[in-house]
Amino acid sequence: MIDSVPIVVVAYNRPKSLATVLKSLRNANYESHSVPLIISIDKGTNNDDVVKVANDFQWPFGPKEVLEYAENMGLRKHIIKCASLSQKFGNVIILEDDLYVAQNFYTFAIQALEFSKDKDYIGGISLYNHQQNVHKGINFLPIEDGFDNWYFQFASSWGQAWTKLQFQDFLLWYEENREIASGTDIPNYVRSWSSKSWLKYYITYLVEKDKYFLYPKTSFSTNFSDAGTHVSSGSTGYQVPLYQGLPKTFSFSGIEESRSVYDSFFENKKLYRYLDLPKNSICIDLAGYRHTYSKQYVLSPKILNFKIIKSFQRSLRPIESNIMEDMSGDDIFLYDTTCREVNRHKINRMDELMYNFKHVTRSDAIFIAYQKILERIKLFLSKK
């Protein structure tokens, strides 16, 4: 049984953010564990203020160490260096400085690491739970299948944990893959990220090795998206509800029994079972984000000129529930790409918009439209 896991806080240039995440750590529950805290500070313009916050912070739960670097490493190298501490300690929890953790995040992390340690298909543990498809900016919820976790072929950067073996396997792959192959099936949005991103490499690794991050159904960390190297201004767009329950024994699913398994496009990989199709014969594209299709069958709301085998409505949430519950309609189509046919259906953009927004008042809609028109007018005038 895992006894104690060190927490590594990754800090750079944001003393206020660092103070906030440290406050949440001090308020957390560690039961009887002795927990090492490591604050790793990359070289920046606000180093003195960041170092002062780190040094002044009182940590009553175990040893505290502050690491300072004389030269700037950048985010990718910094995260990989911090995560590599898993090779020394056996396990590690990584938190960037613009996060905030739930009181019982450590209980979840310890149990998830213990559960995952002998499962080769798990490439890491997330503390954060996505409620937005980051590729499309639309609402996202994983299928509720009765377990406390779901699986996602998308590494977490907003609170994560690794066993020694999980991160070791990534490092071995990373040494041979400093360039991302053009043929790897990852989202264009991910591929477009800066070379400073460690996350795009880890997502590619998960896809190529068919591994997954284990995610919680209720988040144990949340993200302030404070202004920093990759974000020009703060945002609450990725804030999610934190777990506020009591400590408990979490119920984790294995990947075979889970109905909540998603690829890097936020698409459910178990839908083939409900369509009575072979596992590797279908491309799921319910968000309409994929740009190429390499399988015989495609499930998508896009209007494509292929034979329609079956069609479904877009009403239940999450969207794949419409396929699981066999809700017939004309919003989502199952195509056979080996047979070309003219598709005479039309996309109802208003219905699609209202489905993706849970609730927008009339006044809010008018205000948003007005602001967007003003932005376009300003942009047009600035180019004259």
Side-chain angles (χ1 to χ4, degrees):
M1 185 71 180
I2 293 173
D3 178 47
S4 181
V5 178
I7 299 168
V8 182
V9 176
V10 182
Y12 173 70
N13 255 6
R14 298 184 288 198
K16 182 178 178 182
S17 300
L18 177 59
T20 300
V21 69
L22 291 177
K23 172 189 172 184
S24 71
L25 287 172
R26 187 165 49 207
N27 292 338
N29 171 32
Y30 303 99
E31 300 174 355
S32 59
H33 295 288
S34 174
V35 182
L37 174 66
I38 300 168
I39 305 172
S40 182
I41 304 171
D42 199 8
K43 179 69 174 178
T45 56
N46 287 336
N47 255 53
D48 290 345
D49 292 338
V50 175
V51 170
K52 185 177 188 326
V53 170
N55 285 332
D56 289 350
F57 180 68
Q58 299 299 307
W59 180 247
F61 304 105
K64 184 191 83 171
E65 182 179 7
V66 177
L67 303 176
E68 298 179 57
Y69 298 98
E71 296 182 1
N72 179 260
M73 289 183 287
L75 184 61
R76 184 186 357 162
K77 289 182 179 179
H78 195 189
I79 291 290
I80 290 175
K81 189 175 186 67
C82 290
S84 294
L85 290 170
S86 59
Q87 307 306 291
K88 173 182 176 181
F89 291 100
N91 302 277
V92 71
I93 295 169
I94 303 292
L95 300 169
E96 291 190 35
D97 57 9
D98 62 343
L99 303 180
Y100 196 91
V101 295
Q103 187 176 21
N104 289 304
F105 86 97
Y106 195 79
T107 303
F108 174 83
I110 288 280
Q111 291 184 32
L113 286 166
E114 178 69 27
F115 173 80
S116 71
K117 67 182 183 181
D118 61 349
K119 295 173 176 61
D120 184 58
Y121 57 83
I122 298 179
I125 307 297
S126 177
L127 300 176
Y128 182 83
N129 181 40
H130 285 278
Q131 292 193 345
Q132 182 182 143
N133 180 326
V134 298
H135 309 314
K136 292 268 294 188
I138 57 177
N139 294 316
F140 170 80
L141 287 172
I143 283 291
E144 182 52 68
D145 58 359
F147 292 98
D148 290 320
N149 69 295
W150 58 288
Y151 290 100
F152 193 14
Q153 214 156 42
F154 200 94
S156 175
S157 63
W158 294 334
Q160 63 269 15
W162 283 286
T163 67
K164 177 180 179 178
L165 185 58
Q166 286 164 1
F167 203 74
Q168 184 182 81
D169 285 350
F170 166 72
L171 289 175
L172 291 172
W173 175 89
Y174 182 65
E175 286 300 317
E176 303 295 327
N177 293 272
R178 296 305 177 94
E179 298 293 332
I180 295 175
S182 59
T184 303
D185 188 26
I186 60 172
N188 286 348
Y189 176 58
V190 173
R191 194 179 289 278
S192 73
W193 292 346
S194 161
S195 61
K196 296 178 181 179
S197 170
W198 69 272
L199 188 60
K200 68 189 293 184
Y201 288 88
Y202 214 102
I203 291 170
T204 303
Y205 159 74
L206 295 177
V207 170
E208 290 191 355
K209 294 296 185 179
D210 197 24
K211 293 177 183 283
Y212 299 82
F213 254 52
L214 182 152
Y215 274 73
K217 287 284 180 64
T218 305
S219 197
F220 289 87
S221 65
T222 191
N223 180 17
F224 284 96
S225 292
D226 291 335
T229 303
H230 304 292
V231 182
S232 59
S233 61
S235 169
T236 60
Y238 296 111
Q239 285 282 0
V240 292
L242 287 173
Y243 179 86
Q244 299 290 351
L246 297 172
K248 69 173 186 175
T249 300
F250 292 95
S251 175
F252 297 118
S253 64
I255 199 163
E256 288 302 320
E257 62 186 327
S258 175
R259 297 183 182 183
S260 208
V261 180
Y262 293 79
D263 66 18
S264 61
F265 292 81
F266 285 75
E267 301 289 357
N268 191 306
K269 296 187 74 172
K270 294 296 184 79
L271 285 188
Y272 70 92
R273 296 179 176 179
Y274 299 87
L275 297 167
D276 196 27
L277 293 172
K279 180 177 181 179
N280 295 317
S281 67
I282 183 170
C283 182
I284 308 297
D285 185 34
L286 293 178
Y289 181 75
R290 289 183 183 272
H291 302 287
T292 59
Y293 305 112
S294 59
K295 305 293 177 65
Q296 178 178 353
Y297 301 100
V298 173
L299 183 69
S300 178
K302 289 182 178 178
I303 302 301
L304 304 174
N305 289 319
F306 298 115
K307 180 180 180 180
I308 298 172
I309 300 173
K310 197 169 185 179
S311 59
F312 306 88
Q313 61 183 269
R314 185 198 290 111
S315 55
L316 298 177
R317 303 177 192 274
I319 192 168
E320 63 263 37
S321 298
N322 296 286
I323 286 80
M324 292 177 169
E325 300 296 334
D326 196 20
M327 303 293 288
S328 296
D330 293 315
D331 300 312
I332 302 165
F333 308 97
L334 176 61
Y335 296 103
D336 182 345
T337 63
T338 64
C339 303
R340 297 199 67 86
E341 288 185 6
V342 175
N343 187 345
R344 302 192 184 282
H345 289 87
K346 302 292 183 183
I347 293 178
N348 188 322
R349 295 294 185 187
M350 183 57 69
D351 284 352
E352 183 179 19
L353 177 67
M354 296 312 297
Y355 177 82
N356 287 323
F357 284 95
K358 291 181 181 178
H359 179 70
V360 180
T361 65
R362 184 183 297 273
S363 60
D364 285 343
I366 292 172
F367 176 77
I368 292 169
Y370 174 71
Q371 292 297 317
K372 290 297 182 184
I373 291 171
L374 279 182
E375 287 176 11
R376 293 196 172 214
I377 291 173
K378 289 178 181 178
L379 180 63
F380 173 75
L381 292 175
S382 68
K383 293 181 178 180
K384 292 189 70 176

